Amino acid sequence: MFNRNRGLRQAAAIASISSLVAGCGVLSAGSSDGKGPIVVGTTSAPSTLDPAASWDQSWELFRNIYQTLLSYPTGATTPQPDAADSCRFSDSSNTTYTCELRTGLKFSNGHPLDAKAVKYSIDRILKINVNGGPAGLLGSLARVQALGDREIVFHLNKPDATFPFVLATPAMSIVDPAEYPERSLRKGDSIDGSGPYTLQSYEDGKKAELVKNDTYKGYAERKNDAVTIRYFQDSSAMVTALKDKQVDVAFRGLNANDIVDLQRHDASGSLQLIEGAGIEINYLVFNPKDPWAAKAPVRKAIAQLIDRGAIAHKVYKDTVEPLYSMVPKGLTGHTTDFFDDFGNPSTSKARKILADAGITQRVPLTLWYTTDRYGSSTKLEFAEIKQQLEDSGLFTITLKSRPWKTYVKGYQNGEYPVFGRGWFPDFPDPDNFIAPFVGNQNALGTPYPAPEITGKLLPRSRGESDRANVVSDFEQAQQILVNDARLLPLWQGKQYVAASEDISGAEQALDPSTIMLMGELSRKTSW
């Protein structure tokens, strides 16, 4: 029996994929062994091909086709140079960050990639300023300066020790000024990047065909020649495709029943399942534009009723664990404030919260979820939440859903009273589990001013290079989130990657923000 159900190491207080000692196979490139490209299945189809529009899992594709100044080589837990040859804070106050590009960089279309292209790409994000888009990551940026062909200087309006992490996100992908409009999003299904792969063809919501970019200069050591990414709307269909050898790797959105089933198949040796602790979180968002969701007692009554343990056990078969803070376990500053303040689920306490606010009728609320982003268990999860709330006799719940592409537009336009989101971190720091969700411009498209967090706690913590010294600030920030109950954490996920037995590298393929680096995947020519 070849057991693939293994734990993964943690480094620098984050969960990342560890190396697996893998038998005696000889590795070969994806298409050079006569078996064609490695095929990866996922439920996370891109919502856009333009980095200026995306603060979501479109980043999975971006990381492999575009290039950023900094990124995460295998095993790294802090950003390292990619398009850059070097980067550093060039002052003592963490307000000036300077990068020098590698020599001879080119986009896949042959156009030169220079300092002006980097400046153009970052400035473009701010000029287009998509609601709920990546401009929200650049709140500390004052201006970008290009000095000659290779030097870029970022002038910050406040100290920000997390800025290198921001530059390492795929949102900061470098685009060709000749192909990407300065003040509008690029249309069509083509990409001109400088990353490890080029996009050979793309079918929206179906597949992306990637081939090795021969002009790439960066850290990635590609162990295959080509990868095809297939996008599934249903986890079960993806797992069936894996069993039928139509895909080589499956990840992102595996539902609980499929994971349990894969654990059984794992024992037979025909498939491998790699399991590890993760920092993915799932949560509810309350829209203050809705007359009921705007009422703090309504939100707190829901916080008092939600049984996270039942969701984790009944819906997810204990493949996730209850979460009582927006900062997940394993990161600096994690707390259990929601449990500390609300305790175990209680109908009587929830009824009192509402009654004290003069609310004696059943509260009508519509809860929205996406059908094809986080796996097919999402539907069951929201059915469980509906039952929990309605069984209390305090709520009447209507459930509605949409595919991800239209779902995103809906929450960005403020259409949903209450909606579900998942969060895969931009970078492994507690800042990234609070900052994206607060402020007038945030990842949710739902303004949440939180002035003490945005004006005091986050700026103070970003001035601290030693992240072990920011615990108090993040504990305070989390307590404010509990007091407001605008965001309701539900569970923290583990990481699962399933692969056929002849695939190697899946163990190392996820970076610290759980984005898959396709170049790590390869086939074995013998076993």
Side-chain angles (χ1 to χ4, degrees), residues 192-456:
D192 293 292
S194 59
Y197 296 89
T198 60
L199 185 63
Q200 186 175 54
S201 68
Y202 181 76
E203 293 182 53
D204 187 20
K206 294 183 178 180
K207 69 177 180 179
E209 295 182 340
L210 282 57
V211 296
K212 186 185 291 186
N213 178 9
D214 292 332
T215 63
Y216 167 71
K217 289 188 175 184
Y219 70 85
E221 297 181 9
R222 294 150 297 174
K223 299 172 184 177
N224 60 67
D225 295 329
V227 174
T228 295
I229 306 172
R230 285 186 56 190
Y231 301 112
F232 292 83
Q233 292 192 358
D234 181 78
S235 168
S236 297
M238 178 171 66
V239 172
T240 297
L242 176 67
K243 293 176 182 176
D244 292 344
K245 301 188 181 302
Q246 295 174 6
V247 302
D248 300 302
V249 179
F251 83 113
R252 195 78 76 208
L254 291 167
N255 70 33
N257 288 331
D258 288 327
I259 291 168
V260 171
D261 181 51
L262 285 166
Q263 288 169 341
R264 290 195 294 264
H265 279 77
D266 182 43
S268 71
S270 60
L271 295 173
Q272 51 182 313
L273 182 67
I274 300 103
E275 172 190 331
I279 49 177
E280 165 197 355
I281 69 170
N282 185 273
Y283 57 100
L284 293 179
V285 183
F286 295 91
N287 185 351
K289 296 180 181 179
D290 179 78
W292 285 108
K295 298 178 187 296
V298 169
R299 302 193 298 266
K300 292 181 178 181
I302 292 175
Q304 184 64 72
L305 289 170
I306 291 291
D307 188 339
R308 296 168 175 82
I311 293 170
H313 181 67
K314 292 169 62 177
V315 177
Y316 290 98
K317 315 298 184 187
D318 299 315
T319 60
V320 305
E321 54 187 319
L323 181 64
Y324 298 95
S325 162
M326 289 299 289
V327 176
K329 184 168 64 175
L331 288 187
T332 300
H334 165 73
T335 70
T336 56
D337 285 345
F338 270 94
F339 184 82
D340 298 341
D341 281 27
F342 292 97
N344 291 316
S346 170
T347 295
S348 61
K349 290 181 180 179
R351 182 177 290 110
K352 185 176 188 306
I353 291 171
L354 294 173
D356 287 350
I359 302 171
T360 56
Q361 67 183 94
R362 271 185 177 254
V363 176
L365 273 179
T366 300
L367 274 58
W368 282 82
Y369 64 92
T370 180
T371 57
D372 58 353
R373 170 61 65 174
Y374 309 118
S376 47
S377 293
T378 305
K379 180 178 180 180
L380 302 176
E381 175 184 358
F382 273 76
E384 172 66 20
I385 292 172
K386 171 182 168 73
Q387 182 174 342
Q388 289 181 12
L389 296 180
E390 291 192 334
D391 283 353
S392 71
L394 303 174
F395 289 88
T396 300
I397 302 297
T398 301
L399 296 181
K400 292 187 177 182
S401 61
R402 285 177 177 169
W404 179 251
K405 263 200 163 182
T406 52
Y407 186 75
V408 171
K409 294 176 182 177
Y411 72 67
Q412 289 177 345
N413 292 333
E415 296 176 16
Y416 311 146
V418 184
F419 60 97
R421 278 294 311 266
W423 186 250
F424 304 96
D426 305 328
F427 51 87
D429 188 276
D431 183 285
N432 194 236
F433 288 87
I434 292 178
F437 312 127
V438 296
N440 291 321
Q441 175 77 2
N442 62 47
L444 303 172
T446 304
Y448 179 11
E452 187 174 357
I453 296 177
T454 58
K456 176 183 175 184

